[in-house]
C-alpha cells in the first residue's frame, strides 16, 4: 500500500536536535512524514545541541514537572521585568489610536527606519562622534541584525570571537557556513578564532597571539562577563583591525549600564569609522525585549577590499530581507530618547544595577570570586574545578533557581555561572538568600 520511504522524527529527552530514522508505519503515537529528496542544510547539522537559552528553558520545564509547586526564580536568560515608563507606553498607545484615523494611519515605512528616530539615535548616542542619520539602520533588535550582517559578509571569511561571548555570534557563523567542523575535544569550531578573555588577561584578548581574522565580533560590556573594555583596550582593538584589514562588529547592547569612563561606543576611538560596525538595542536599556527595536551603524568610510562601501550592501540586505521595524515600536523608541523619556529609562537601568550590587555583595560574602555587576547587569561567578552545567543543575535542583552555565558562552566559561540581575527586587533578595543557604550547607 505504501511504496514510498517513510521518515519519523523523534526528539530525544536529552537533546533538542532531531534524530532521523527510517521506520515502518505504526500507530499514531509517532509523527510520520514523507521524506523529500531535499537534503538537510549541512551547516545546521554542525550546530551543537539546542541554542543555549531554549535549552535552559527545557531544563526549567523538566524541573517543574518534577517539582510542580516550586517557586522558580529565573535569573537566566536576562529578560527585563520592570514596567515600561508611562511616557513610552503612552506614545505607543497614541500612535496605535492614530492608526484608526485617516490622518494618523501609516503603512510601510522606510526599511532603514523613520528619519526622526535615526536622527534622535545619532543625537543621543553619537553626539560629536561624526555619525550621520543616514549611517543608522533601525531594526527589530541587535540579534536580528547580527544575522543580517552574517548574510552580508558571506561564508568564505574567518571570524574571531571573545571567549566567552554571546552564543549567537558563533551559531549564526555555523549556519552561514563559516565555522568549519566542531572539534569535540577542544569544544571549538575549527575555523573560528576564540580570543580568550578571562580575568588573567583583564577580560581582553592577547592580540599579539591572535591570528588575522576578517571579522571580529566584540561585545562591550561583554555578555556574559560584564566587563566593559577600557579606552586603551579598544584603541588596541582598532589598531589591530587596521593593521590586519579586519572589520569589527561591535555589540554595544549594554552600553547604557556603564558607570565608569569606559567608552560606550566603538566610535569614540579614533579611526574606528574606517574599521567598525556597531550594533545596539533598546531591549535592555529601555525594557524593549518584547517590543523589539534596535539599530546598526555603518560608517560611509568603511570599505571592502575593492573600495566598495559596506553601507551600500547593507542597505541592499535590509531592503531585500526586511520591511522595517514596527512603526509602533519606533514611536516608543522616539519617546525613550526624549529628555523626559531618557531619564525614565535610565532609572530602569539604575534599578537593575542595584540588583547586581545585591547579588555581588551576597556572593562575595560567601568567599566566591565574582566578576561583573559594575558596568553590566550580569554577575559572572567562578566555581573552580567545576563543570558549569553541573553547577547549573545543582543550583536548580537545590534552590529552584535558573542561572546560565558558562560553557554555553564558549569553552572559556566552563568553570563559571552567569547570573542575571534582571528581576523584581524581592526576587533578587530571595535569590541571594537561597544561594547563601545552599553554599552554607555545602561548607558545613
Amino acid at each position: 500500500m505504501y511504496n514510498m520511504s517513510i521518515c519519523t522524527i523523534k526528539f530525544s529527552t536529552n537533546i533538542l536536535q532531531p534524530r532521523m530514522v527510517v521506520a515502518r508505519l505504526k500507530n499514531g503515537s509517532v509523527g510520520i512524514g514523507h521524506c523529500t529528496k531535499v537534503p538537510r542544510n549541512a551547516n545546521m547539522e554542525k550546530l551543537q545541541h539546542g541554542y543555549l537559552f531554549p535549552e535552559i528553558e527545557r531544563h526549567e520545564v523538566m524541573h517543574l514537572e518534577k517539582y510542580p509547586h516550586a517557586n522558580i526564580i529565573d535569573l537566566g536568560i536576562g529578560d527585563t521585568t520592570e514596567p515600561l515608563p508611562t511616557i513610552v507606553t503612552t506614545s505607543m498607545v497614541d500612535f496605535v489610536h492614530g492608526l484608526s484615523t485617516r490622518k494618523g494611519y501609516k503603512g510601510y515605512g522606510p526599511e532603514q527606519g523613520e528619519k526622526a528616530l535615526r536622527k534622535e539615535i545619532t543625537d543621543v548616542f553619537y553626539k560629536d562622534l561624526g555619525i550621520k542619520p543616514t549611517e543608522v539602520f533601525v531594526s527589530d533588535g541587535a540579534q536580528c541584525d547580527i544575522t543580517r550582517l552574517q548574510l552580508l559578509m558571506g561564508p568564505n571569511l574567518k571570524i574571531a570571537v571573545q571567549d566567552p561571548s554571546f552564543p549567537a555570534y558563533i551559531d549564526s557563523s555555523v549556519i552561514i557556513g563559516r565555522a568549519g567542523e566542531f572539534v569535540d575535544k577542544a569544544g571549538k569550531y575549527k575555523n573560528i578564532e576564540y580570543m580568550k578573555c578571562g580575568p588573567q588577561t583583564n577580560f581582553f584578548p592577547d592580540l599579539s597571539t591572535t591570528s588575522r581574522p576578517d571579522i571580529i565580533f566584540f561585545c562591550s560590556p561583554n555578555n556574559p562577563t560584564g566587563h566593559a573594555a577600557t579606552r586603551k583596550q579598544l584603541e588596541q582593538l582598532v589598531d589591530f583591525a587596521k593593521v590586519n584589514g579586519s572589520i569589527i562588529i561591535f555589540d554595544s547592547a549594554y552600553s547604557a549600564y556603564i558607570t565608569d569612563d569606559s567608552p560606550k561606543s566603538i566610535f569614540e576611538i579614533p579611526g574606528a569609522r574606517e574599521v567598525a560596525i556597531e550594533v545596539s538595542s533598546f531591549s535592555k536599556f529601555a525594557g524593549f525585549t518584547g517590543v523589539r527595536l534596535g539599530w546598526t551603524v555603518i560608517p560611509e568610510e568603511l570599505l571592502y577590499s575593492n573600495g566598495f562601501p559596506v553601507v551600500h550592501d547593507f542597505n541592499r540586505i535590509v531592503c531585500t530581507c526586511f520591511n522595517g521595524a514596527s512603526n509602533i515600536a519606533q514611536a516608543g523608541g522616539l519617546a525613550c530618547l526624549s529628555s523626559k523619556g531618557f531619564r525614565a529609562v535610565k532609572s530602569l537601568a539604575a534599578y537593575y544595577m542595584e540588583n547586581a550590587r545585591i547579588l555581588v555583595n551576597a556572593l562575595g560574602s560567601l568567599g566566591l570570586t565574582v566578576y561583573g555587576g559594575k558596568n553590566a547587569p550580569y554577575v559572572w561567578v567562578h566555581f573552580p574545578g567545576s563543570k558549569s552545567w553541573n553547577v547549573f543543575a545543582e543550583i536548580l535542583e537545590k534552590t529552584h533557581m535558573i542561572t546560565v552555565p558558562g560553557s554555553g558562552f564558549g569553552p572559556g566559561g566552563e568553570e563559571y555561572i552567569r547570573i542575571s540581575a534582571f528581576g523584581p527586587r524581592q526576587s533578587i533578595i530571595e535569590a541571594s538568600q537561597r544561594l547563601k543557604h545552599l553554599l552554607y550547607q555545602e561548607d558545613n
Side-chain angles (χ1 to χ4, degrees):
M1 181 176 179
Y2 294 97
N3 296 320
M4 64 191 73
S5 64
I6 301 297
C7 291
T8 65
I9 305 177
K10 294 183 178 179
F11 290 91
S12 166
T13 58
N14 296 318
I15 59 173
L16 290 181
Q17 291 292 314
R19 178 162 54 93
M20 304 299 293
V21 297
V22 177
R24 298 184 181 89
L25 280 174
K26 295 184 179 180
N27 58 42
S29 62
V30 178
I32 297 172
H34 168 69
C35 285
T36 70
K37 294 184 179 180
V38 179
R40 186 185 182 202
N41 182 340
N43 295 321
M44 297 298 295
E45 296 178 352
K46 295 177 182 178
L47 290 169
Q48 298 301 297
H49 307 299
Y51 185 64
L52 175 61
F53 299 112
E55 183 75 358
I56 289 171
E57 290 175 0
R58 187 179 68 85
H59 281 271
E60 181 178 356
V61 170
M62 292 169 59
H63 187 75
L64 281 171
E65 290 176 352
K66 184 177 181 181
Y67 303 103
H69 302 296
N71 177 22
I72 287 185
I73 298 177
D74 189 348
L75 301 181
I77 191 172
D79 193 3
T80 53
T81 59
E82 298 311 291
L84 298 178
T86 302
I87 185 175
V88 176
T89 54
T90 298
S91 177
M92 291 191 282
V93 168
D94 289 345
F95 187 90
V96 170
H97 284 312
L99 293 175
S100 64
T101 68
R102 178 68 62 185
K103 182 179 179 180
Y105 177 77
K106 288 187 178 181
Y108 288 126
E111 292 92 344
Q112 304 83 357
E114 298 292 341
K115 288 183 178 180
L117 181 56
R118 297 169 82 186
K119 184 178 185 305
E120 282 300 305
I121 289 172
T122 59
D123 290 346
V124 172
F125 296 104
Y126 304 102
K127 187 177 181 181
D128 301 325
L129 296 182
I131 300 299
K132 305 173 185 177
T134 53
E135 297 171 325
V136 175
F137 294 80
V138 178
S139 72
D140 50 348
Q143 188 163 349
C144 300
D145 274 347
I146 288 166
T147 303
R148 293 183 190 110
L149 288 167
Q150 293 278 28
L151 183 62
L152 169 75
M153 297 299 176
N156 299 317
L157 299 175
K158 182 175 181 180
I159 75 160
V161 298
Q162 293 159 291
D163 179 24
S165 67
F166 185 48
Y169 309 144
I170 291 177
D171 280 14
S172 59
S173 297
V174 175
I175 293 170
I176 206 72
R178 195 180 289 135
E181 298 297 328
F182 187 76
V183 182
D184 287 307
K185 188 175 181 179
K188 301 178 180 181
Y189 285 94
K190 184 177 180 181
N191 294 341
I192 293 178
E193 177 80 12
Y194 291 77
M195 304 184 299
K196 194 169 183 60
C197 294
Q200 66 276 13
T201 61
N202 195 22
F203 296 99
F204 188 76
D206 181 356
L207 297 176
S208 66
T209 63
T210 301
S211 61
R212 180 200 172 272
D214 294 294
I215 308 298
I216 305 167
F217 283 99
F218 197 93
C219 181
S220 179
N222 175 269
N223 178 12
T225 67
H227 175 74
T230 65
R231 188 170 302 275
K232 183 178 179 180
Q233 287 175 336
L234 291 182
E235 287 172 351
Q236 293 174 15
L237 183 66
V238 169
D239 288 345
F240 177 81
K242 280 192 169 186
V243 168
N244 287 282
S246 307
I247 293 177
I248 302 165
I249 298 179
F250 188 81
D251 187 342
S252 65
Y254 297 94
S255 63
Y257 291 91
I258 292 177
T259 60
D260 59 20
D261 60 355
S262 300
K264 295 183 177 181
S265 168
I266 190 66
F267 299 119
E268 293 182 37
I269 308 303
R273 286 182 59 88
E274 300 170 6
V275 296
I277 293 168
E278 184 161 302
V279 178
S280 200
S281 172
F282 284 80
S283 289
K284 301 304 171 67
F285 95 86
F288 272 34
T289 51
V291 177
R292 307 306 306 149
L293 194 66
W295 71 89
T296 289
V297 178
I298 303 186
E300 294 173 352
E301 293 94 323
L302 183 64
L303 309 176
Y304 291 112
S305 59
N306 67 354
F308 192 82
V310 175
V311 67
H312 293 344
D313 275 358
F314 190 68
N315 185 67
R316 179 61 183 269
I317 290 287
V318 167
C319 292
T320 301
C321 304
F322 187 50
N323 275 334
S326 160
N327 47 24
I328 301 168
Q330 292 189 70
L334 269 173
C336 289
L337 302 185
S338 67
S339 57
K340 184 178 178 181
F342 200 63
R343 286 195 301 271
V345 295
K346 285 180 71 175
S347 70
L348 288 176
Y351 179 92
Y352 294 126
M353 289 307 293
E354 174 61 16
N355 284 353
R357 186 193 67 79
I358 292 169
L359 288 168
V360 168
N361 288 346
L363 293 164
S365 70
L366 298 170
L368 293 172
T369 302
V370 183
Y371 303 97
K374 179 182 177 182
N375 287 318
Y378 292 122
V379 179
W380 188 239
V381 190
H382 192 201
F383 292 87
S386 300
K387 295 288 187 180
S388 62
W389 275 103
N390 292 343
V391 178
F392 163 86
E394 184 176 2
I395 291 174
L396 178 58
E397 177 69 22
K398 295 182 178 179
T399 72
H400 305 306
M401 282 178 51
I402 302 293
T403 58
V404 182
S407 61
F409 299 98
E414 181 57 87
E415 296 183 347
Y416 292 83
I417 288 290
R418 192 199 77 177
I419 301 177
S420 166
F422 291 112
R425 181 64 44 76
Q426 189 54 45
S427 295
I428 297 296
I429 294 172
E430 172 66 20
S432 300
Q433 292 171 345
R434 292 186 191 182
L435 287 168
K436 284 183 176 181
H437 182 69
L438 168 64
L439 295 170
Y440 178 79
Q441 280 185 324
E442 293 197 344
D443 286 344
N444 292 274

